[in-house]
Amino acid sequence: MDRINVPPPGPTDLPLSLLEMGCSGRFELITHPSPDQPLLPQSTLPHGLPPTSLSLDREVEKQFLRDAAWLPIHDTDLAFQKFLKVAQREVNVDSLINSAHSALHSGISVVRDPTTGMLLDFTEVLLENTGLSAKNSLSLQRQPGPPSESLRGSNTNYPFHPGGMEELSLEQIKKRSDLEEDIDFENDLLRVPPGLKAGMDFTDKEAKVAKAEVNLMSLLSTLEDIPVLQPAVEETEESKEKEEAPKLPRTNSLEDLGVKDVVSSSTLSKAGKDDKSKPNENPEENVKWAIPVNINAPCNNFYKLIPNPAFKWPFELDVFQKQAVLKLEAHESVFVAAHTSAGKTVVAEYAIALSQKHMTRTIYTSPIKALSNQKFRDFKTTFGDVGLLTGDVQLSPESSCLIMTTEILRSMLYNGSEVIRDLEWVIFDEVHYINDAERGVVWEEVLIMLPDHVSIILLSATVPNAVEFSEWIGRIKKKHIYVISTMKRPVPLEHYLYTGNSTKTQKEMHLLMDATGNFLTKGYYAAVDAKKERTSKHAQSFGTKSTSHNTTASQDRSVWLTLLHFLSQRQQTPVVAFTFSRTRCDDNARSLDSMDMTTSIEKAEIHSFFQKSLSRLRGGDRQLPQILVMRDLLKRGIAVHHSGILPILKEVIEMLFSRGLVKVLFATETFAMGVNMPARTVVFDSIRKHDGTGFRNLLPGEYIQMAGRAGRRGLDATGTVIILCKAGVHEMADLHVMMLGKPTILQSQFRLTYTMILNLLRVEALRVTDMMRRSFSESHRDTQSHEKRISQLKQMVSSLPPLDTEGQLSDMLPYYHTVTELRTTTEALQVSSDAVNRTFTALVICEKGNEEEDGKGNNNKAFPHLYNTALFIPEGPCSHTVQKLKLHDISAITVKTLKVIPDRIIDNYSKRQQPRFRLDPPGQAISTATQELLRLAEANPNGMAALDPVNDLQLKSVDVVEDSMRLRVLQSSLREFNCIHSPTFAEQFARVDERMKVQEELDRLLFLVSDQSLSLLPEYHQRIKVLQSLQYVDSGGAVQLKGRVACQISSHELLLTELLFENVLSPLAPEESAALLSCLVFTQKTQVEPHITSTLQEAIDRVLSVAKRIGELQRECGIPQTAEEFVGQFKFGLTEVVYCWARGMPFAEIAQLTDVQEGTVVRCIQRLDEVLKEVRQAARIVGDSVLGSKMEKASLAIRRDIVFTASLYTH
């Protein structure tokens, strides 16, 4: 077919052209060629047109000038107007003060005929809660916020109402703050407004009542036979008076008034009912919130109760797992405490499956990021619909199961994230982390802040006080927590001591504790002997040498070579060797250069996996020394795992280990905490570790946690735990405690942080004291029983007869207080080693016929006259009695002494107590003594001189001198009271005494229930003082701008906020500001002095001066931390490293700049990125866009290469 030559297009031709596509005979029509270009040639390359990029001006032309809808041909005016709207905007200031329309408070509902369903009418229905939004309400009824804030919430949002926290009661609303006062609308009203001359006259003027023509009542009253109406009218009047009684105090918001209006009217109707309903409430009062579940009872009807479970496992569940699943089906909260490999994850998986079935969401929190990443991978393969939120990663946040660190959940709760609405379960993994001094408080905050509709699943290692802990959670959340605790290990452990150190002795493994948990002393002594035999030979040849805890590297090496040789022969690999120092881990691994534990097939597998995993690194990063060293080790089946290893390498090692390709893993304690990877054998290099302050033995909890890694479920019959005895055998007592001791109990690490205080002050309805009262540290306060007792005491007080304090008795109460003080002072002076039980046998003179009653009537009647110093003189004939007196019956010891024969008096008196000697005359000794006493009393009717503790008994301590002086003043003041002379004094005094005793107990209990008895209250006031003096909150406790900024920041909030407001970061370049802020995330010591620019040095000095100022201010406000300690937390060892990294230096060179290990550097830079994000948010709040964009740049500069490679688990 010949080619037709088309003439070039003329001006009249349409701009069209045909294009032959390749060789297939397809044609394509080309329109709109650009006017200056000639039409394209009519045939193309075989593959069609080359791709073209859009030119923007052509796009704009197409959209705005050629679009018929935009530029219609006819209506040009309108188009012009439209164009002006785009091109020129008029400034309209009023549009800024436009507020959104308030929500409609009513809707329309249809009224239908009930039988036919016909539409009869529309009525207006009032809607409730229409004005609620995230900015003013804690209710779940509030409107959702904007979608952009739905995940993390916003720091101006209110949180949702925490479950178990009571709404404010009427009394609390009525209790005004110091700044509110009652306005009396009747008296003392102001009459003249400021600036006016005359005012209003508010005096009551009687309104003239128009006289009614006929008064109905007067007509009726003439008819005698309707007597009933009269009283009824009186009653209604009375009830009106009653209803008007409650006065409304002034409050800060209309809402509160509304609440009270409703309540005040309803309380009247309730008042009558309440008394009747009281007795039935008691059973609920002492409710037990934690319910231990018996895991020995088999669950036979499990499949009957749950015919179609939400999730099925390929294996039969253990009893404790079935129990937990049953509780989850019933939507109860559970606490599961079990050993590491017992299968607690089953409970978490079931909850996730349930929430997928119910279309709700589950949040799974773990303490460690590495653990979150692993769980993400595991759950992703099981459930698919799983998201991950950590500080730097956010993957599919819309999933039904979200995995996150606890800190993120805390900030979501404080910031009122919308995710919380759909939440059904929160799973806390590794709850025993609540013992962590630094981060434990986060768990408590989250548990306290969770709303009511969320059920809680707690998974923990075995802890002794699981029930007590659950009781606390149950009490603060007002829901039952079922405690399922199992001590059973699916794979039992055997513990050995290993004393071998050469091929000759390699079999010296001594069983110390068998699989059933019996401690075998035989094994221990065998180990001691084996060790002794060798040391004695050594000592014979070289003279005695004291065995130290430390061994040389070559000794270590021989022990490890011997042991690993032995274990691989017995096929006891993989082995985890716990070593409590990172350098020791590295050295041990390096010293095994002659060991090779892998076959060639395994070597190939390791090699390909290693290369594939590291393929995502840049070329230079693949040649890092650490990676090269580790590659050689891994090929021989050896690896090292600690915080100094690069994160990506750690993940490679974990994955290879779980596949069984790593035969020996030298790890620190973090491996046991953060990674769920069991081995065949666990070896302890030593049982002493350094915990930041000094060396100590392992705690039982730590030992169990690490030893629990031995034994793989389904693969091994028993797990082997070996303790190396390198220098000598450890003390038996230490071993016994460590293996059989109780694990550490869960203890509260609750402390106040400024972020917590500011976040709660932001919201009026939540008080910091509520948070403190609900913390686990205050869980010993049994407020329920106190409250019960308080109501009883209040009733008692109201039922006591009123006090008569008229006329002569008007100073009865001051008299009582003086007497009480006198009594306490006297008690303080009566010191005796056995003061409580000691009795004094005394001869007492009394009136005839009054002998018996004397002892009994003593207590209440004699009490008021105890301090009346006048002596008793019988009016009639004198008689006597012998009484046993307690300490408090004695008011003073006189200076007079009488000579008597005590034995005779006692014998004679007790003889005459027998019926047949009742009428005998008293013996010689007694009658003499009584007469002497009588004579003394008559001689000194107004009292006798008493022994003075200071002068006579020579007691010279300050307290005694002060007390005896006070005693003298009080005794003399007693005589001046009038009430003593009243005839009814004794009876009235008894009444006062009774009432006061009840009142004192009531006050004591009220104090215990009140916030004043909180142990952290003084610190709270100190911290508020700090915040006020730095102007984060004002004197009324309202959060100011600086406080709002500090809410954004999770750690070191005061320092960062001050730096922002003092513009310390403004003069710095982005990389310099990143370097400066590294002091907030770096915590280790370094020996290397960083070389830095002068601007950075100045900035560092400014940071230190700000920190010093804050530290000194805290000290002044009473916080115990010294300024030096406060400044000392900020370490600038990584400033140079971060500065160079942000300027683009490769990682290999950076690692040369410092002695800090690579893994630590990477982790610090990752955390620094989170700090930069927070500062960016904060700068946005302040309105400092320059700083915001600078932080963005800094963030971009450090987010590169090996530091921010994505985790292998998330791909």
Side-chain angles (χ1 to χ4, degrees), residues 1078-1091:
S1078 70
C1079 72
L1080 302 174
V1081 290
F1082 180 61
T1083 51
Q1084 292 184 352
K1085 298 187 187 67
T1086 60
Q1087 261 64 54
V1088 182
E1089 200 54 48
H1091 308 290

Side-chain angles (χ1 to χ4, degrees), residues 905-925:
I905 296 184
I906 296 174
D907 293 346
N908 185 293
Y909 183 75
S910 46
K911 174 180 139 193
R912 283 182 305 116
Q913 288 307 299
Q914 293 166 15
R916 56 175 216 217
F917 301 119
R918 178 62 54 84
L919 300 173
D920 287 14
Q924 175 66 36

Side-chain angles (χ1 to χ4, degrees), residues 816-963:
Y816 173 80
H817 293 307
T818 317
V819 165
T820 327
E821 197 181 341
L822 189 54
R823 190 170 44 174
T824 49
T825 317
T826 323
E827 277 168 12
L829 277 172
Q830 291 175 337
V831 186
S832 157
S833 54
D834 186 24
V836 193
N837 314 330
R838 196 152 165 206
T839 55
F840 302 90
T841 312
L843 176 69
V844 185
I845 55 173
C846 59
E847 291 191 10
K848 192 108 174 113
N850 196 14
E851 294 91 348
E852 289 306 312
E853 194 242 16
D854 206 14
K856 299 185 194 97
N858 217 347
N859 296 353
N860 53 3
K861 291 286 181 288
F863 170 54
H865 313 294
L866 207 60
Y867 306 104
N868 181 359
T869 52
L871 295 180
F872 168 76
I873 302 170
E875 290 164 15
C878 171
S879 176
H880 62 271
T881 167
V882 173
Q883 294 288 344
K884 288 236 192 290
L885 299 185
K886 284 273 200 213
L887 248 182
H888 55 75
D889 298 328
I890 300 171
S891 65
I893 303 171
T894 59
V895 286
K896 285 272 193 291
T897 51
L898 296 180
K899 195 161 186 209
V900 293
I901 308 160
D903 301 348
R904 289 214 189 148
I905 296 184
I906 296 174
D907 293 346
N908 185 293
Y909 183 75
S910 46
K911 174 180 139 193
R912 283 182 305 116
Q913 288 307 299
Q914 293 166 15
R916 56 175 216 217
F917 301 119
R918 178 62 54 84
L919 300 173
D920 287 14
Q924 175 66 36
I926 289 192
S927 40
T928 327
T930 354
Q931 262 136 28
E932 291 281 312
L933 278 175
L934 193 56
R935 189 164 351 124
L936 265 179
E938 281 162 354
N940 314 313
N942 286 334
M944 301 172 68
L947 282 179
D948 182 76
V950 182
N951 301 335
D952 300 333
L953 303 179
Q954 302 298 321
L955 297 172
K956 292 284 193 249
S957 73
V958 182
D959 312 345
V960 175
V961 177
E962 277 180 4
D963 281 350

